[in-house]
Amino acid sequence: MSQKPPETPELFEEIAQLRTELDEANYRYYVHDDPTLTDADYDRRLRRLQELESRHPDLIAPDSPTQRVGAAPAEGFPEVKHAVPMLSLDNAFNDEEIMAFVKRVNERLERDSDDLTFCCEPKLDGLAVSLVYENGALVSGATRGDGRTGEGITSNLRTLRSIPLKLRGESIPQLLEVRGEVYISHSGFEALNERARKEGSKVFANPRNAAAGSLRQLDPQVTAQRPLEFCAYQVARIDDYNAPMTHSALMARLREFGFRTNPELDRVQGSAALLTYCQHLGEKRERLDYDIDGAVIKVDELRLQRELGFVARAPRWAIAYKFPAQEQTTWLKAVEFQVGRTGAITPVARLDPVTVAGALVSNATLHNQDEIVRLGAMIGDRVVIRRAGDVIPQVVRVIEDERPEGVLPIEFPRHCPVCGSDVERIDGEAVVRCPAGLFCAAQRKEALKHFASRRALDIDGLGTKIIDQLIEREWVKTPADLFHLKAQALAELPRLAEKSAQNLIDALEKSRHTTLPRFIYALGIREVGEATAGNLARHFGTLEALMQAALADLEAVEDVGPVVAAHVHAFFNEPHNRETVAQLIDAGVRWEEAEVSARPQPLLGQTWVLTGTLESMTRDEGKARLQALGAKVSGSVSKKTAGVVAGPGAGSKLAKAEELNVDVFDEASFLSRLAAWESGASRESGESEQPSNEESA
Ligand code: JCF
């Protein structure tokens, strides 16, 4: 007969301690974006608690962190009637409509100064749910449904670590009903689809679909594996006579109870500040780690909300400001093929012009042949295009239901559309290329544009239009020809007055004096970006040494693998290219050997990781700046990581960094260090009068 182990005070204490630590870890992580436990430490404690509870099942409490994943509801999801209906919001699509909302509210409240306080937050693009707590314990969770009746999905919602199973704090109301959005962050979505791809299961189209599908799983075990998060935005019921008087104070109370609210939540006063909030949020949109489709604006004072009341299904005291849509539908009229600098042939969709997120779009990229196949696109189709930030508009899908008669297949060219060479497609590569190199006018144009660009030889005033003419008139065939142009001849070009012809000559003269990294970069060798050009220059010191390097020598260069090495080797072994280099030097292009290391590389040999969102730059910019300082930028944290830059929303990578004792920088300290490194105030540069930037954290 098995005997139950004795229950000792130490045991009670350990169980209580583990539960407190696990709840606290969730609270610090979700409410304060400030993890206290690493994933590994969290799991270790959770397993220990599971083990203790399995030996003493009578000590299991329904709000124990081990009790998040329960059994599936036998009857599917029950209907749940909302005690207070779940509202929808009226929309405003521009500043005028926001102003009209403010005016309506002020008139109704008989206020004649524009000083009303609003509480604003991003409008998350997820699914609305409602949670009921009785005496501090989660008793029910339901979807919005039609606003009056939803589906009871309590067991699924219990699996979300950002949903407290019991409320924190001392003065807990007998009844609390909290509403909010369940969503999946961009990073969670990437990880989820990555896993799906590895397991060969279906990938999700977008985070919202993934969240919806995950919430409607009958088995909470499945839901528990999905990176769902909850963000609270409204209190539907609270039976506390001491309850706050404003919406913003209620949100603060929710945080005390252990709910995450949106970090962008803010109070603003007056319509001008309101418009500014919406504008700033729009600018920030791309940098957030979750999808939003606008801002929710609420009259902050609850007394005024009650006075304003409702119309039909929407409150008079709130409005949703919707950002301009990033997706639009239009007709795909034709497909043209563009030849890039390296000969890559890119299909470009010509569209019936439409305004997308404020810009008129008449072209969109189709990427490559595989993408055309994936989309199943045909000429004449109705297509959805998407434009986000300053990226090139893309065709995201075909609306097959609206396919008209007489659509035509998109034929990929077998000959280069510019020079007529047979195209080639290397096995395993998605790209089709024109192999003609600089014999192809399209590639010559692109090569010249690259040569003249700001980070290469930086030839001021040599723009696309002039380059096109120079190539078409065959005045310029190689970059070296640029340096033999005469002002008199240039002035003949349409749109180039005598003055700017001379300016261009002056700019060319100035650009002759460059640096070795810029020169190498300007040559446009495949896969050789700025960082690699810098590494090559530093490694070999002189152009001659680089040109003579064997494959093995090239592979010894920092960050240069076999592919890049092969491209560099092939480039300098092509007689044509050697000739161009010689002509450039004959034409007077020069650099000081010493300038090779003009740019400080204080982070050489270090690996950095960026995680979360940054305010002042995109992660890509941060990455580029670190690389320019010599650092490698990696996606995962290890013992060897030199530093982690963590913005809001940082999750497991930050936790890992802390676990491994890797230095972590917030945005402010990252920026000040970047500035110091970029100005050369590093140990390596030996500028001892500069203050040390190695102060202890
Ligand atoms: O983030 C949202 N989708 C969101 C929806 C935020 C809010 O503050 C909301 C909402 C729907 C209704 N507030 C209400 C009253």
Side-chain angles (χ1 to χ4, degrees), residues 300-411:
D300 196 32
E301 224 169 307
L302 301 176
R303 184 177 54 83
L304 299 182
Q305 288 190 359
R306 277 191 290 276
E307 199 175 323
L308 286 161
F310 301 84
V311 265
R313 276 165 161 226
R316 284 205 190 86
W317 43 264
I319 198 155
Y321 164 63
K322 291 291 194 71
F323 293 139
Q326 289 185 312
E327 290 190 357
Q328 281 292 349
T329 56
T330 186
W331 298 104
L332 172 56
K333 294 195 303 186
V335 175
E336 282 171 21
F337 294 88
Q338 283 181 353
V339 185
R341 176 163 63 84
T342 60
I345 297 180
T346 307
V348 177
R350 301 281 178 229
L351 308 162
D352 233 9
V354 273
T355 308
V356 193
L360 192 69
V361 172
S362 44
N363 303 316
T365 180
L366 284 161
H367 298 291
N368 54 48
Q369 194 162 18
D370 293 352
E371 178 72 358
I372 292 177
V373 172
R374 192 188 68 80
L375 289 166
M378 301 188 71
I379 293 165
D381 264 337
R382 189 128 185 98
V383 291
V384 176
I385 58 168
R386 181 182 173 83
R387 190 182 87 93
D390 48 10
V391 302
I392 302 166
Q394 297 175 295
V395 176
V396 290
R397 96 187 105 86
V398 170
I399 308 176
E400 285 188 26
D401 291 350
E402 293 184 36
R403 173 166 286 169
E405 276 178 39
V407 291
L408 297 170
I410 299 169
E411 306 252 17

Side-chain angles (χ1 to χ4, degrees), residues 86-89 119 121-128 144 179-181 231-234 247 251 262 265 292-298 315 317-318 320:
M86 288 184 79
L87 305 165
S88 53
L89 297 172
C119 188
E121 65 179 323
K123 186 166 187 297
L124 298 175
D125 197 8
L127 296 108
R144 176 171 184 278
R179 286 172 182 169
E181 204 82 352
C231 180
Y233 59 65
Q234 186 73 8
H247 176 72
M251 292 296 102
N262 198 292
L265 185 100
I292 65 174
D293 57 3
V296 179
I297 300 162
K298 294 174 182 169
W317 43 264

Side-chain angles (χ1 to χ4, degrees), residues 459-594:
I459 309 173
D460 217 20
L462 189 62
T464 304
K465 297 225 167 74
I466 296 174
I467 289 177
D468 287 352
Q469 296 184 55
L470 294 175
I471 295 283
E472 274 150 31
R473 288 170 190 238
E474 301 200 347
W475 288 1
V476 171
K477 289 203 170 120
T478 77
D481 297 337
L482 286 172
F483 296 100
H484 303 297
L485 289 169
K486 299 275 175 290
Q488 222 177 346
L490 281 175
E492 274 175 36
L493 294 177
R495 305 163 51 95
L496 200 69
E498 207 167 296
K499 175 82 168 61
S500 42
Q502 186 54 48
N503 287 347
L504 181 52
I505 296 290
D506 294 346
L508 279 160
E509 178 59 40
K510 200 170 132 219
S511 74
R512 278 194 175 103
H513 193 250
T514 186
T515 66
L516 182 54
R518 276 177 180 272
F519 184 80
I520 296 170
Y521 173 65
L523 292 175
I525 306 166
R526 268 177 69 188
E527 309 277 344
V528 177
E530 257 188 307
T532 308
N535 291 341
L536 291 168
R538 253 185 318 284
H539 186 97
F540 293 103
T542 66
L543 184 66
E544 294 69 38
L546 170 62
M547 289 177 72
Q548 281 156 25
L551 261 179
D553 301 333
L554 288 162
E555 282 187 44
V557 177
E558 167 98 18
D559 256 344
V560 173
V563 174
V564 179
H567 285 314
V568 176
H569 193 254
F571 183 91
F572 288 117
N573 278 287
E574 163 68 55
H576 232 85
N577 293 333
R578 299 181 80 93
E579 201 178 314
T580 301
V581 168
Q583 285 170 354
L584 282 168
I585 292 177
D586 280 350
V589 177
R590 288 278 174 280
W591 54 89
E592 312 294 336
E593 297 300 340

Side-chain angles (χ1 to χ4, degrees), residues 165 181 187 217 254 401 549 586 626 639-640 642 663 672 675:
L165 297 179
E181 204 82 352
S187 32
Q217 292 291 328
L254 287 186
D401 291 350
D586 280 350
L626 283 168
K639 279 203 307 279
K640 295 199 186 115
D663 284 343
S672 69

